[in-house]
């Protein structure tokens, strides 16, 4: 009895990990998408064809409910529907037997979408519509591919881009790209953790198609590792191990004096302060070399050579949040600032390594 219950449990899937706001956004977006789709269908077919509205409704579920899915990206809907409509019309015209035409249209559409990286499940219904859509669709011939299919797909994708971004959900979904080291080596995190090759091997062994981007899966695994580390080793924060006696320079300090401070204290970078002692940049030996610095230069000021886009930490940030920017982000030093933007500490790679080494084991 217990075994049978477990077997039937597979028919009840895990709940979708979506909050109330995401569900509301999905519903509103789908509603707007269907209003647009129905209007275009009426203009092309003379009436709202249920055969054509159906695949667009399925596309709306993907674009507005799961916009991070590889199957929901703009090229997926535009390319997938364009391929499926073209193949569907061709099969309808060149294969007399309708049953055979239906099977060939869907099968060929899937076969072409795979190499073109535009796999989109509703496109199978588009191919089906081209064959079974009736006289209104058949009379359009290949014009059906451009209007309403391509036009509808482009406008639905554009609406998804606008609506999702206004709702605070980045779309198209951007895959995080690790910092390049210009070498054949893997990024540091992948050398000791799960690499892209590891994922390839496991996914190939498992078989099947997963509705998640490979890079997203790798990021999820990394975040899970960080969460497990935090759970096992405690809550060590920046304030616990950062250097508090921070050597800084003013934005109007001559670069020659900044270079002297770097040499004197054997630092590779110094935070740069502006008015009210707030952080406005960071100046490093690399910045000085890039600016062709000369120790005799008395006219150039720090603000002219400093880096203004500074990644900072907060005193309360956990040590696990620093691992990624220091390892894969290429950082060697990170200022620690309070909510007002004032520098209260400095963390270096050496500080991070020492803190991880001295952290007590569970």
């Amino acid at each position: 009895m217990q075994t049978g219950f477990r077997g039937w449990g597979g028919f009840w899937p895990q709940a979708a990990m979506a909050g109330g706001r995401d569900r509301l956004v999905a519903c509103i977006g789908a509603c707007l998408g269907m209003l647009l789709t129905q209007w275009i269908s009426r203009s092309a077919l003379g009436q709202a064809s249920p055969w054509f509205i159906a695949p667009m409704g399925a596309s709306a579920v993907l674009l507005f409910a799961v916009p991070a899915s590889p199957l929901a990206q703009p090229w997926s809907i535009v390319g997938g529907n364009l391929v499926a409509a073209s193949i569907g019309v061709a099969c309808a015209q060149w294969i007399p037997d309708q049953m055979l035409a239906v099977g060939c249209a869907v099968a060929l559409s899937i076969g072409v979408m795979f190499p073109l990286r535009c796999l989109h499940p509703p496109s199978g219904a588009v191919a089906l519509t081209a064959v079974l859509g009736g006289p209104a669709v058949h009379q359009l011939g290949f014009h059906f591919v451009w209007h309403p299919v391509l036009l509808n797909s482009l406008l639905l994708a554009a609406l998804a881009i606008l609506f999702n971004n206004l709702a605070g959900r980045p779309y198209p979904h951007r895959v995080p790209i690790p910092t390049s080291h210009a070498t054949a080596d893997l990024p540091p995190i992948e050398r000791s953790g799960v690499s892209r090759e590891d994922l390839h091997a496991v996914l190939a062994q498992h078989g099947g198609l997963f509705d998640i981007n490979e890079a997203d899966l790798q990021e999820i695994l990394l975040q899970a590792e960080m969460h497990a580390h935090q759970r096992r080793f405690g809550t060590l924060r920046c304030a616990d191990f950062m250097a508090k006696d921070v050597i800084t320079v003013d934005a109007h300090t001559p670069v020659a004096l900044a270079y002297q401070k770097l040499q004197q204290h054997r630092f590779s970078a110094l935070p740069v302060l502006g008015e009210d002692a707030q952080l406005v940049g960071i100046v490093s030996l690399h910045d000085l070399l890039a600016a062709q610095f000369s120790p005799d230069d008395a006219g150039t000021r720090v603000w002219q050579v400093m880096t203004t886009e500074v990644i900072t930490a907060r005193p309360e940030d956990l040590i696990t949040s620093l691992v990624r920017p220091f390892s894969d982000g290429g950082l060697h030093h990170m200022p620690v600032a309070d909510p007002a933007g004032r520098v209260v500490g400095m963390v270096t790679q050496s500080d991070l390594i020492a803190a991880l080494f001295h952290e007590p084991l569970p």
Side-chain angles (χ1 to χ4, degrees), residues 91-133:
C91 290
Q93 293 186 356
W94 300 338
I95 301 178
D97 188 288
Q98 193 176 66
M99 294 181 59
L100 181 59
V102 166
C104 290
V106 176
L108 291 174
S109 297
I110 295 174
V112 175
M113 284 189 286
F114 264 116
L116 293 182
R117 299 186 180 183
C118 57
L119 190 65
H120 188 62
S123 297
V126 172
L128 198 67
T129 303
V131 178
L132 301 177

Side-chain angles (χ1 to χ4, degrees), residues 39 44 48 54 64 79 101 110 144-145 171 196 266 291 311 315 318 347 354:
W39 176 71
F64 298 103
I110 295 174
F144 174 74
V145 176
Y171 181 85
R196 190 70 61 88
R266 296 182 180 179
I311 299 177
L318 296 171
V347 175

Side-chain angles (χ1 to χ4, degrees), residues 16-316:
M17 302 295 290
R21 179 182 178 279
D22 285 332
R23 298 181 186 187
L24 179 61
V25 168
C27 294
I28 296 175
C31 177
L32 295 176
M34 288 304 92
L35 290 175
L36 180 64
T37 297
Q38 187 171 188
W39 176 71
I40 295 175
S41 296
R42 286 181 183 274
S43 67
L45 305 176
Q47 58 182 347
S49 171
W51 282 103
F52 187 65
I53 293 295
M56 290 297 107
S59 294
V61 173
L62 287 172
L63 270 63
F64 298 103
V66 284
S69 168
L71 306 178
Q73 301 314 297
W75 171 239
S76 298
I77 179 175
V78 175
N81 285 349
L82 183 62
V83 166
S86 301
I87 293 176
V89 171
C91 290
Q93 293 186 356
W94 300 338
I95 301 178
D97 188 288
Q98 193 176 66
M99 294 181 59
L100 181 59
V102 166
C104 290
V106 176
L108 291 174
S109 297
I110 295 174
V112 175
M113 284 189 286
F114 264 116
L116 293 182
R117 299 186 180 183
C118 57
L119 190 65
H120 188 62
S123 297
V126 172
L128 198 67
T129 303
V131 178
L132 301 177
V137 173
H138 294 161
Q139 288 175 3
L140 291 175
F142 281 99
H143 186 71
F144 174 74
V145 176
W146 314 113
H147 183 225
V149 174
L150 181 59
L151 178 61
N152 239 330
S153 303
L154 288 171
L155 291 180
L156 193 59
L159 178 63
I161 292 173
L162 176 64
F163 185 81
N164 282 319
N165 283 282
L166 288 177
R169 304 191 299 181
Y171 181 85
H173 181 62
R174 295 171 180 83
V175 180
I177 301 176
T179 302
S180 174
H181 296 270
T183 68
D185 290 330
L186 293 173
I189 284 290
E190 292 189 34
R191 296 176 204 168
S192 57
V194 178
S195 69
R196 190 70 61 88
E197 286 72 18
D198 295 330
L199 286 177
H200 274 307
V202 174
L203 293 176
Q205 181 180 4
H206 189 281
L209 178 67
F210 290 88
D211 188 12
I212 183 172
N213 189 285
E214 186 178 283
D216 288 336
L217 179 58
Q218 189 173 21
E219 181 68 19
I220 291 171
L221 291 174
L222 173 61
Q223 294 299 328
E225 289 179 352
M226 295 296 185
H227 188 274
H229 184 281
Q230 176 184 333
R231 173 173 48 81
R232 293 173 56 199
F233 293 101
T235 56
L236 188 65
R237 302 179 185 275
C238 285
D240 300 325
F241 64 93
M242 68 183 185
K244 299 178 181 178
D245 184 15
V246 185
I247 307 299
T248 63
V249 292
D250 186 86
H252 298 283
T253 300
V255 291
L257 180 57
Y259 177 72
Q260 291 178 10
K261 286 191 175 185
L262 289 170
Q263 291 291 91
Q264 177 185 354
H265 298 281
R266 296 182 180 179
F267 292 154
S268 59
L270 296 173
V272 182
L273 306 183
E275 298 180 0
D276 301 325
Q278 290 188 328
L279 181 70
V280 295
I282 193 168
V283 61
S284 66
L285 289 173
H286 179 271
D287 294 326
L288 297 180
L289 291 174
Q292 298 181 344
F293 159 75
S294 171
D296 300 327
D297 188 351
T300 306
R301 304 296 170 175
V302 167
W303 66 267
Q304 296 175 278
V305 300
M306 69 182 185
T307 299
T308 56
E309 296 182 1
V310 186
I311 299 177
T312 63
R314 293 289 180 88
E316 65 274 13

